Amino acid sequence: MSEPRTLSQKIWDRHVVAAGIGGDPDLLYIDLHLVHEVTSPQAFDGLRLNGRSVRRPDLTIATEDHNTPTVNQDQPIKDEISAKQIETLRVNTEQFGIVNYPMGHENNGIVHVMGPEQGLTQPGMTIVCGDSHTATHGAFGSIAFGIGTSEVEHVLATQTLPQVKPGTMAITVKGELNPGVTPKDVILYAIGVIGTGGGIGKIIEYRGDVFENMSMEGRMTVCNMSIEGGAKAGLIAPDETTFAYMQGRPQAPTDADWDAAVTDWKTLVTDEGAVFDEEVVIDAADIKPQVSWGTNPAQVMPIDGMIPGPDDFDDPNLANTASRALEYMDFEAGTPIKDVAVDTVFIGSCTNSRIEDLRAAAAVAKGRSVADGVRTLVVPGSGKVRAQAEAEGLDQIFRDAGFDWREPGCSMCLAMNPDKLQPGERCASTSNRNFEGRQGRGGRTHLVSPEVAVATAIAGHFAAPSDLN
Amino acid sequence: MKAVRIVSGTAIPLNRTDVDTDQIIPSDWLKRVERTGFEKGLFSEWRDDRDFVLNQEQYSGASILIGGLNFGTGSSREHAVWAIQQYGFDAVISPRFADIFRNNCTKNGLVPVAVTEDINAQLMEAVQTDPTLEITIDVERLTVEAPAIGLETTFPLDSAVRERFLEGLDDIGLTLRYASDIDTYESDRKPWMPAQA
Ligand code: SF4
C-alpha cells in the first residue's frame, strides 16, 4: 500500500514529467493554458525573439476580458492603448494558431467564467493562466494557479513549468450555514481567519459539509479567492455535484469517454489518514454576512458589526496595517458599518458574475429601487451568462430597479477599462480585492456578496437583504 | 536573464506590510505591450506624496528595496517586477514574499531575499537611521551583510534558482533539455481531456 495522499498531492504526482530537476522543483505538465490580452504580449514577443513556437496550441485558449469596455462592444475600442493590446492578442493567437474568443463572441467572457462554462475545466487537471484568480478552476478538483508573464512564455514553449511542490492546507467548515450566509461570506470569513499570508506556499483543500452541500458556482466563488489568503491554489474534491454540472458542456467528454472519466475522477479524493501540513477548522454557525472594512481581503467584519480600531489587534503588524487602512478608507473606529453610505455598487468579476450570482442578486432587487445618487453596474461574467440572464428576464428586473445592465468583462474589478471609481468614492463590490486604488485611483472598495451588494444599493448604505422592507 | 552574483549598495526602507502588486504598479500601466518603460509607474499612486520614501533625496541611487511582511501579494502581474528592476533595484528584502511575485522575481534576475522578521526590522531601522548604510547580498553564498551594524545572515534560494541567477540561464532552454520526457508524458494524455481542433 502506498502512503495516504491528499487530493492535491495526487494530482501533482500525476503531472510530474521529471522529478526534482536540477535541484528542487519538479517539471510539471500543464493540461490547459488560458491566455488573455494583458499578461501575454511580452510572452509571445519572447517566443518570436528566440525563434520558438507554441508547443501545444490545442491546449491553449484565449479570451479578451481585462481591458474590454462593458458598453458598445460592437464598436471599436476608444482607448488606443487598450485597442492595441486587444489587437496584439488577435495577431498573436492567429500567428501561433491559438483559438481566441474575441470581445462580442458568444463564448467570450472573463477567463475564469469562460473555462468552466465551456467544460474546459475538468477534475484532475493542471490549469494555469497569467491571472492570479486561476484557482477558481480548483472548484472542479484540479490544480489551477496564476503565473507571471515569463511563466506564460515558458508554458507556451514547453507546456510545462518547473515548480516547487507546494505544502498542503485544509480548511474545513463544519455544520450548517446560517440563513442569508453565502459562499462569498464563507471565503471572506476564512481569509479573515488565516490572514493574507496564511496560505503562502500551500494548496488549500476546502473540506466539510458546507462545501459538500455547495453548488459548483458557490465552490468557484470560494476557490477563486484562495489567492487572497496567499495560497498557490485552492480545490475541492469532485463529486456528483461536479459531474452533474459538467455533463453536456461543449468540451466535456461524451459517451464511453464520459464513463471512463467519471470512474477516474471518483478516485480524486484525499485518502483516509492523509496528513495536511496545516489544518484550520471553522464552525459554520460563526459565519455571518461579511463586509471588508480595510484595504486587504483579510480585513473583514460581520455586516452587523462596528468598524474595528488598531487597538482591537494584538499583533503590532496587524494594528499598524489597520491604522493605515482606516486612514485610507476614511473611517473612524467604532462606527457601525451599516451607517456607512456608498457611492457605487459593482456586481461582477470572476468571483461573483455567474448565473447563480445574478439570480440571487435579482431576487433581492425585484420590485425595489436603487437609492438616489447610487451608481450601479451589473456586469455578467460572459456572453453566455448574459444571454442566459436575458432569457430569464433578470436584466429587466435589474433595469426596472434602476441598475445599469452591462456587457461582459472584468470591468470594475481592476479598473483597466472606463469603469472606475473616482478618488474618495466608496463602492460595495462583489469582486475579490479591496487594495488601495484597485477600482480606480483613490477609490475605496468594500468586498461583499451579490445579495449584500444589491441590498446596499437599495438602502444607499451597507445593508443585508433582511434589512430591506 | 543576466547573471547576478553580488548586489551591493544602499537601500530604501518601505516600511509597510501587505504591499500588493496593485500598489507596486497600478493597473493603468498594464495596457502596455512592451517590456520596458515601467519605472515611471512604480508605486505611482504614492509618489505624489513628497514625503514618500522614493521621493526622499537621501535614498536616491539605492539598489535594494526593503519591504515589510507579505510583499508582492495580489495580482500575478510580472510588470511589478519589471517596474522595480527598471527603477534601479536589483534585490528586494522582506520577511515573506507572495508566491507568484517571488517566482516572477526569479525569472527576471531580481533577487528575493527572505529574512526573519527580526532581521528585517533591524535592517529597516538601520537604513532609516543611516541612509548611506551599505548592504551586500551574495547570491553564491546566500548571505546578506551590513558590516557597519555587524549584521550577517543567510537567505534561502532553491539550488536550481541559485544556479540560474549565477549563470544567467534561460529557464526555457533548461526545460527543453527534457523534451523527450515531455513527449513521453504526452503520449499518455487521457483521451477525455479537452483539446482544440
Ligand atoms: S475579474 Fe478581476 S480577478 Fe477576475 S480575471 Fe478579471 S481582473 Fe482578474
Side-chain angles (χ1 to χ4, degrees), chain A residues 65-66 110-112 131-133 224 349-351 409-410 413-414 431-433 438:
Chain A
D65 58 358
H66 278 59
I110 305 175
V111 62
H112 311 309
D131 182 280
S132 58
H133 291 94
N224 173 275
S349 90
C350 57
T351 314
C410 295
C413 173
L414 91 166
S431 57
N432 42 54
R433 284 189 174 139
R438 169 78 177 182

Side-chain angles (χ1 to χ4, degrees), chain B residues 85-102:
Chain B
Q85 271 187 318
Q86 289 163 15
Y87 187 86
F89 296 109
D90 298 316
V92 184
I93 300 177
S94 156
R96 186 160 68 193
F97 292 99
D99 290 329
I100 305 179
F101 177 82
R102 193 173 187 283

Side-chain angles (χ1 to χ4, degrees), chain B residues 7-13 57-66 88-91 93 123 127 130-137 145:
Chain B
V7 177
S8 188
T10 58
I12 289 190
E57 208 161 303
Q58 69 267 33
Y59 292 116
S60 64
S63 56
I64 298 164
L65 180 64
I66 307 179
F89 296 109
D90 298 316
I93 300 177
L123 274 170
V127 172
D130 176 12
T132 67
L133 182 79
E134 282 284 329
I135 300 174
T136 301
I137 293 157
E145 288 167 284

